[in-house]
Amino acid sequence: MTALCTALPDQLRLLLVDDHRIFLDGLSLALAPLCPDLQIQTAQNAGEAEACLRRHDFDLILLDLRLPDVAGLELLQRWQQQGRLTPVAILSASDSNLDVQAALTAGALGFIPKSANSDDLRQAVTRVLLGETLPAPAAGEKPPLTPRQSQILLLLADGLPNKAISRQLGVSEDTIKTHLKTLFQELDVHTRTACVSAARQRGWL
């Protein structure tokens, strides 16, 4: 690890945002060798992350895509709109090229899979800290949507409630709810607004 750390400053402050406490603890241990004076703060949701950012400046934020209160991409987009300059890398269990592309489009400097081992993780974090943007995998993956899901997504973007969507498509409201649940899971979101926003980021709308 010495070769990796020589180009980094002796002191760094990182913010790790993930809703799993055990993962945060393991991540902190894996990153500990980065530099002699590494200060790590953790947050388990968007609210805690924003509170940390009001108190301190950070050299890097590692952000999970799935948070309990606000989707990671939505939070990243909010920071970009606020003009926040802190570098952000996405750290996620997702292996979807669509998620990678959406993260980079939203302003992330890299997408690091949670499946990475400690050495690969530290190398990726080091590259981002040194100003690199981690390369994205080749694009070309198509949206994993059925024609019905695409129809529902378009009507959702028009602001229609479930009842109106069900009437327009001639299916039950329960069917609409089932499709929406699948869309929410696919897009890692918890609200209708976030669903539309994430779909636009991926170019589905």
Side-chain angles (χ1 to χ4, degrees), residues 16-21 24 42-46 48-49 67-69:
L16 315 181
V17 188
D18 190 282
D19 60 337
H20 294 96
R21 181 78 257 171
L24 287 173
T42 61
Q44 291 185 259
N45 55 54
E48 289 181 9
L67 296 174
D69 49 354

Side-chain angles (χ1 to χ4, degrees), residues 39 41 107 119:
Q39 299 175 42
Q41 288 193 255
D119 285 341

